[in-house]
Amino acid sequence: MINGMLGILIGFLVLEMLISVMVITYGLCTMGTDHPESITGHFTETLDDEVEVKCSLENNRFILCDCEKGRGIPLKRATFCPFKYLSVAEAAAIPLDVQSRGVDVGVAILLQSANQKVLLTRRAASLRIFPNVWVPPGGHVELDERLLDAGLRELREETGLKLDPGDVSAQLLGLWESVFPPMLSRGMPQRHHVVTYMLLNTSLTHQQLQASLHPKPAEVSGCLWVDASLVKAIVSAVDGEEGSVTPLEGLATTISGEDVERVSTGTKYALELWLKNLEGQGTRC
């Protein structure tokens, strides 16, 4: 019995280390890593939740590998990431169809206006994954698609904003390991993503951009432009603490219980990176 469970666990961990998926998005491959806990865990010998990595797109594969400190892109997971706490029995209980999905790659766009405001969107309540959550526009990367092209496509599909690569300057801010459900208390992992957060600077003010906003109701139920002062207040709230709220009315940050209207943990991480970029600490892609 124990040997059987260990065999299933080892098989699951091997899948996680190979992380090669045959779906209509980029697969993700890790190189030179052997830590079994999660993508982030592969690159650290401790239980740290943030590490620097190098990333590239090669033959429809999003590849992550080790790098020297200060010479890579930050990769982070939530402190409560389910993959940190999976037991042998819990890993054995994950269905094979979930294991075989591997890790999908997504892109999220922090669209910065000329007057230094960033666009956030509220995911529709009807969505099965992370409903009612405030996030930057974004989605999956399709085959033979560059990150910037994928981000601009998702921005157009979700918000109606039509921008060409020549209309923006692009900068890779960081990577986020996303798991759904986000905590083991809410169920076994069903989806596993690495989200790339890209900053796009435009020469248009948020008022000019607002005039062209036409959110897709099936995906977006609200749009909001936030400035640095509001972002600082948003990221100061601690996720996982009951009753912790942002200064935006109704945007509770607790993720326990049902999905309520809140700013996602990954989005708060991206907004922190955006604030650092405003202070001149960004990393060009």
Side-chain angles (χ1 to χ4, degrees), residues 15 130 170 221:
L15 282 172
F130 297 121
S221 61

Side-chain angles (χ1 to χ4, degrees), residues 132-134 234 237-256 258-265 268:
N132 301 314
V133 173
W134 286 89
I234 290 173
V238 180
D239 283 356
E241 289 187 356
E242 296 291 342
S244 177
V245 297
T246 73
L248 302 178
E249 184 177 357
L251 301 192
T253 61
T254 177
I255 65 168
S256 59
E258 296 299 320
D259 277 305
V260 295
E261 189 175 354
R262 62 182 177 87
V263 179
S264 79
T265 309
K268 290 173 63 179

Side-chain angles (χ1 to χ4, degrees), residues 97-139:
D97 62 326
V98 174
Q99 297 181 31
S100 63
R101 283 185 60 89
V103 182
D104 292 334
V105 177
V107 59
I109 295 299
L110 276 78
L111 180 63
Q112 179 179 309
S113 66
N115 54 334
Q116 295 188 335
K117 291 180 183 287
V118 169
L119 178 64
L120 296 181
T121 59
R122 182 176 58 204
R123 289 172 59 83
S126 59
L127 293 176
R128 187 166 59 89
I129 297 178
F130 297 121
N132 301 314
V133 173
W134 286 89
V135 297

Side-chain angles (χ1 to χ4, degrees), residues 119-163:
L119 178 64
L120 296 181
T121 59
R122 182 176 58 204
R123 289 172 59 83
S126 59
L127 293 176
R128 187 166 59 89
I129 297 178
F130 297 121
N132 301 314
V133 173
W134 286 89
V135 297
H140 289 96
V141 181
E142 297 180 352
L143 288 175
D144 298 318
E145 192 173 39
R146 297 185 310 163
L147 289 177
L148 177 57
D149 294 334
L152 291 174
R153 173 182 54 76
E154 290 288 348
L155 180 68
R156 180 180 67 253
E157 292 174 356
E158 293 185 2
T159 71
L161 291 175
K162 300 178 181 179
L163 299 175

Side-chain angles (χ1 to χ4, degrees), residues 220-245:
V220 176
S221 61
C223 295
L224 181 68
W225 294 95
V226 295
D227 59 17
S229 61
L230 184 54
V231 167
K232 289 178 182 178
I234 290 173
V235 302
S236 66
V238 180
D239 283 356
E241 289 187 356
E242 296 291 342
S244 177
V245 297

